[in-house]
Amino acid sequence: MPRWKKILYVLLGAVTIVALALYSWYALTRPDTCHKGVDRIGGECVGVSSDGYDFGTPEIRDVARAIAEENEKIEGQPYVTVAMMLPLQSDSPALRRQMRRDLQGAYLGQLEANEGEGEPPRIRLVLANPGQDYGHQSTVVDTLLRMADSSKDRLRAVTGFNLSLVDTQDAVKRLTEHKVPVLASRITGDQIANQDGADGMTKLQYPGLARIIPTNYEAAQALSNFNGERGRENRRTVLVYDTRPDSYDESLAKAFSGIKEKGPAGPAAMPYESPGIDKAGSSGNQFAQMANNICDSEADTVYFAGRTLHLRIFALKLAQMVCENRHYTIISGSDAASLREDMSAKDWAQLRGDEGGQAKVTVQYAAPAHPAAWSTELAAWRKKWDATHDREPTADELPQYLTEPKAALDSLNKLIRTTRDKGTDLGSTPDLLDSRTMLVYDGLVTIGTALHQVQSGGAEKVPGLEDVGREWPQLQSRHRVQGTSGLICLTSGGNPYDKPVAVVELDPGRKGLGKLKFVGLGWPTGREQPKNCVIPSRTP
């Protein structure tokens, strides 16, 4: 064989070996993908999708496809991208149904925001799964930041955020540090909020962050104002709180501890430690001991700072105690809105008690919204009006803080019917009772309002990132957002001013399955929002 052939064969062999090595390295190190733009990390499908991918969760498949169809519909029109960021996989059927209700609200809000003719920009909605408990949020935030810089994607806001956790806080912090506007529709932890200054001047910890839900502190004040003396008598109240690191639990415990009480001292606060949001661990054993101790005290009102799973176990343990037939009221935060999902007929019967002397238990919580709130409160207002007047109220005399949210809720219900009549399958008819669909819908409508108001120049010129973030504090007074959950009037810190909470109770009824019962509105300031939602000065 000629020498040149030997050299050629050696070179070809070397190239082949290098190519095989490179291919093997790539095959071993490349991400295992679940779908375009979605990687498999630790068994979870983490990433961002706009084309109807369901992240392996069948319950959201239909509504994800509906969102993709709306995205296709606005192709060719001036648009910006809004990301819906929340965990989209779970082994729990109840949690998967909650995800569906969140996305139903997002889709309906997208439709509402895209409705106006000649009102650019349109909203292209993408789904962003950060993994369980936001464990892979940094990977998703990387993608979102690239989308914010992309002239094709034009990401202009991120919403969703349904759990007040350290990883959630880190995601919000990093996005806002890179000037990406964030609208939090369902997180109540006080740690993920800008603090409004007493003199109206605000130093923003999260520039570009807006919230449309009261913080745990505000919810606790609203509950205290609603319950009056009952919840402020020291000897009759006790705090039960989870010591596991969790922003929601921590801020709720702090908020309940801050309620001003009077009278002789009551039982000392009772801590427990859970292994996780959706893990029971030995909490039942801990709660059995607490229930006995509460039974031996004068307390009949329990402030509970913990997650829904543990709230259910605690309520049932307390109901098992025979304590002179006393009735207990457990007061908790917005996470309790999911409690009804996990209650069986046996659980409801246990809360009702029986003739053998078991204690009856009522669970009361500060829901972000309830579909019966506005019609119920308006009926009560009208009854008082009719008792003191012999004429119809003028439009200016009607309670704006009730009529405008009711009109928004009526519009949402009409949109749900229209969507169903058009044959759009959302997986199920949206259930508004736990407020998820309402809050997420309000969030998308708020984003749409900000986008439309900040739009200037030609239709093709979309708003900049900072333009959108600076618009949040303008959404007040005449530019207030009529939300289904109440009037949304944002402060200089992007917080909803005096946003009401719907005080809701789990009503066991007389037999069978119980229901969620709206019992009234609670206001953080102790009174309803001012006319036209003009935010007053914070100066003392």
Side-chain angles (χ1 to χ4, degrees), residues 81-205:
T81 298
V82 173
M84 179 74 180
M85 184 173 176
L86 77 166
L88 292 172
Q89 287 178 286
S90 174
D91 294 331
S92 165
L95 289 179
R96 294 197 298 268
R97 291 193 295 271
Q98 290 169 22
M99 294 169 192
R100 179 170 60 202
R101 290 196 288 274
D102 282 330
L103 296 192
Q104 287 171 339
Y107 169 70
L108 293 166
Q110 180 190 23
L111 288 186
E112 182 67 25
N114 288 346
E115 181 65 24
E117 189 171 342
E119 296 180 18
R122 304 302 192 199
I123 289 178
R124 169 181 174 257
L125 191 61
V126 299
L127 306 184
N129 180 26
Q132 184 178 12
D133 296 344
Y134 291 81
H136 300 293
Q137 55 82 18
S138 61
T139 298
V140 173
V141 170
D142 286 343
T143 301
L144 296 178
L145 293 179
R146 289 194 295 270
M147 292 174 67
D149 291 334
S150 166
S151 59
K152 178 180 181 296
D153 292 308
R154 300 189 291 275
L155 179 75
R156 289 299 177 267
V158 182
T159 187
F161 300 108
N162 61 340
L163 293 171
S164 299
L165 302 170
V166 172
D167 279 327
T168 316
Q169 185 175 353
D170 289 344
V172 172
K173 182 75 172 173
R174 190 162 161 232
L175 286 166
T176 54
E177 283 178 346
H178 286 81
K179 307 185 187 308
V180 177
V182 171
L183 186 134
S185 54
R186 291 195 43 247
I187 46 176
T188 58
D190 294 75
Q191 301 92 329
I192 312 176
N194 292 315
Q195 299 301 313
D196 290 302
D199 57 357
M201 303 295 289
T202 301
K203 184 178 180 180
L204 302 180
Q205 181 181 0

Side-chain angles (χ1 to χ4, degrees), residues 214 217-219 221-223 225 497-501 522-527:
Y217 172 79
E218 292 168 326
Q221 294 302 310
L223 285 167
N225 292 329
Y497 176 70
D498 198 22
K499 181 88 179 292
V501 300
W523 301 90
T525 65
R527 59 171 300 163

